[in-house]
Amino acid sequence: MDIIFYHPTFDTSYWIKTLSAALPDARVREWKRGDNEHADYALVWHPPVEMLEGRDLKAVFALGAGVDSILSKLKAHPEMLPEHIPLFRLEDTGMGQQMQEYAVSQVLHWFRRFDDYQALKQRACWEPLPDYHREDFTIGILGAGVLGSKVAEALAPWGFPLRCWSRNRKDYPGVESFAGKEELPAFLNGTRVLINLLPNTAETVGIINKDLLSQLADESYVMNLARGVHLVEPDLLQLLDKGKLKGAMLDVYSSEPLPVESPLWAHPRVAMTPHVAAVTRPAEAVAYIARTINLLEQGKAATGQVDRQRGY
């Protein structure tokens, strides 16, 4: 079995060593330009077209939860990855726990009004503030897949009203489920904290815009942990300035790295991190990939395969 590996920033030697240990019958190599030798599987992130085109692969693994970089290239280069070759993504591999940590810490930060106290501190102002009440702090999760369900699971013990919205209705304990475009207004009505974990598809680009944000509860908060293309940043800033929104926590942006001239940097109600909410954990990713390859080699079904029509 031959496996080719390409990632522009990962420690390639570590991945090859770890994959070789997990799949002792496999020959794992780093793909470099001009390498047209045989391969059964490809492990990739933002792969060059020439890496995949013309290969009769058994499967391709994207080294992350998103596959939009591959699918976008396929529009211009469909020969890069024919339909009969399955594409897999990392469903969790440690990212779920990281998303839980990020979401819970930020929700509690807002709920305990630490953002307000930090603003008072900047003015040297000593002023105890009224508490928020849990029953008024409804949390809505846009996107109810693997990561969305993990975030809901972590927030449940804190007693906040929880709801989720997705293409299809979900059945998560203690979470009110909304589904489809017709139920989106009901999902937004009364939501105080909006957490975005949607996949990046043609239907979700720009979905968090002025119209959507205006339907949230007054003085609501927005947390974007999915993709920068989901959020119309000027609309967010406009509603923050008007007071409709009280704060935002952003991990992803329309352009990355975020340009120094972006007004997001200076806005007092916007907190930011540099796309680190959940990163691929190599050991757990290798375990998933090795397990999936073993299943495929035995002719068995495996989880994580991407539906190219849906985009995830």
Side-chain angles (χ1 to χ4, degrees), residues 151-220:
V151 167
E153 177 185 294
L155 286 167
W158 294 96
F160 299 108
L162 291 175
R163 56 179 61 166
C164 67
W165 179 84
S166 55
R167 181 194 298 262
N168 301 308
R169 199 172 310 283
K170 305 298 183 181
D171 185 18
Y172 299 142
V175 181
E176 186 179 7
S177 178
F178 297 80
K181 291 182 179 180
E182 65 280 358
E183 294 186 13
L184 183 56
F187 163 81
L188 296 167
N189 183 33
T191 290
R192 186 70 184 279
V193 178
L194 183 71
I195 302 176
N196 178 40
L197 285 164
L198 286 169
N200 180 12
T201 69
E203 292 76 24
T204 62
V205 171
I207 189 173
I208 307 176
N209 53 30
K210 183 178 180 180
D211 177 65
L212 182 146
L213 294 171
S214 297
Q215 297 178 64
L216 296 171
D218 289 341
E219 294 195 332
S220 55

Side-chain angles (χ1 to χ4, degrees), residues 9-303:
T9 61
F10 279 179
D11 181 351
T12 299
S13 60
Y14 170 87
W15 278 79
I16 291 177
K17 178 181 178 181
T18 310
L19 282 162
S20 298
L23 293 165
D25 294 331
R27 292 176 295 275
V28 187
R29 70 181 188 272
E30 178 184 8
W31 179 86
K32 296 181 179 180
R33 292 191 182 279
D35 178 355
N36 296 313
E37 298 300 315
H38 174 264
D40 297 291
Y41 297 94
L43 281 51
V44 303
W45 190 248
H46 292 278
V49 173
E50 67 178 278
M51 177 185 181
L52 300 180
E53 67 177 344
R55 295 185 183 276
D56 189 19
L57 297 162
K58 295 180 180 179
V60 172
F61 290 85
L63 296 171
V67 293
D68 39 290
S69 68
I70 295 176
L71 296 181
S72 62
K73 282 188 178 181
L74 282 175
K75 293 179 181 178
H77 303 279
E79 74 283 358
M80 175 181 168
L81 194 61
E83 287 284 346
H84 73 274
I85 299 177
L87 173 63
F88 289 85
R89 63 186 180 91
L90 303 184
E91 287 187 302
D92 187 342
T93 61
M95 287 183 277
Q97 183 180 19
Q98 294 173 76
M99 286 294 189
Q100 289 177 327
E101 295 164 351
Y102 196 111
V104 171
S105 65
Q106 187 58 38
V107 166
L108 295 178
H109 181 89
W110 285 326
F111 179 66
R112 291 300 307 270
R113 305 196 67 169
F114 293 152
D115 56 331
D116 291 322
Y117 284 119
Q118 181 63 20
L120 290 171
K121 184 254 186 187
Q122 299 299 325
R123 294 158 40 201
C125 180
W126 180 285
E127 182 184 350
L129 299 171
D131 291 340
Y132 287 147
H133 301 288
R134 276 176 171 75
E135 60 270 23
D136 301 325
F137 219 72
T138 298
I139 300 170
I141 302 171
L142 273 175
V146 173
L147 296 180
S149 67
K150 290 284 188 180
V151 167
E153 177 185 294
L155 286 167
W158 294 96
F160 299 108
L162 291 175
R163 56 179 61 166
C164 67
W165 179 84
S166 55
R167 181 194 298 262
N168 301 308
R169 199 172 310 283
K170 305 298 183 181
D171 185 18
Y172 299 142
V175 181
E176 186 179 7
S177 178
F178 297 80
K181 291 182 179 180
E182 65 280 358
E183 294 186 13
L184 183 56
F187 163 81
L188 296 167
N189 183 33
T191 290
R192 186 70 184 279
V193 178
L194 183 71
I195 302 176
N196 178 40
L197 285 164
L198 286 169
N200 180 12
T201 69
E203 292 76 24
T204 62
V205 171
I207 189 173
I208 307 176
N209 53 30
K210 183 178 180 180
D211 177 65
L212 182 146
L213 294 171
S214 297
Q215 297 178 64
L216 296 171
D218 289 341
E219 294 195 332
S220 55
Y221 300 90
V222 176
M223 194 185 313
N224 191 10
L225 306 181
R227 286 290 186 269
V229 296
H230 292 141
L231 174 65
V232 180
E233 292 164 357
D235 289 0
L236 172 77
L237 292 171
Q238 181 182 356
L239 291 179
L240 283 167
D241 290 338
K242 288 184 175 181
K244 172 64 178 180
L245 302 179
K246 185 152 185 213
M249 182 77 219
L250 308 180
D251 184 58
V252 289
Y253 311 89
S254 58
S255 179
E256 297 183 9
L258 186 65
V260 294
E261 62 270 18
S262 170
L264 293 171
W265 287 109
H267 200 286
R269 287 291 180 177
V270 177
M272 303 190 305
T273 50
H275 205 147
V276 295
V279 298
T280 300
R281 288 179 171 167
E284 294 176 60
V286 167
Y288 162 76
I289 292 168
R291 182 171 62 252
T292 303
I293 288 177
N294 283 326
L295 288 171
L296 296 176
E297 287 292 301
Q298 297 170 44
K300 297 179 180 179
T303 62

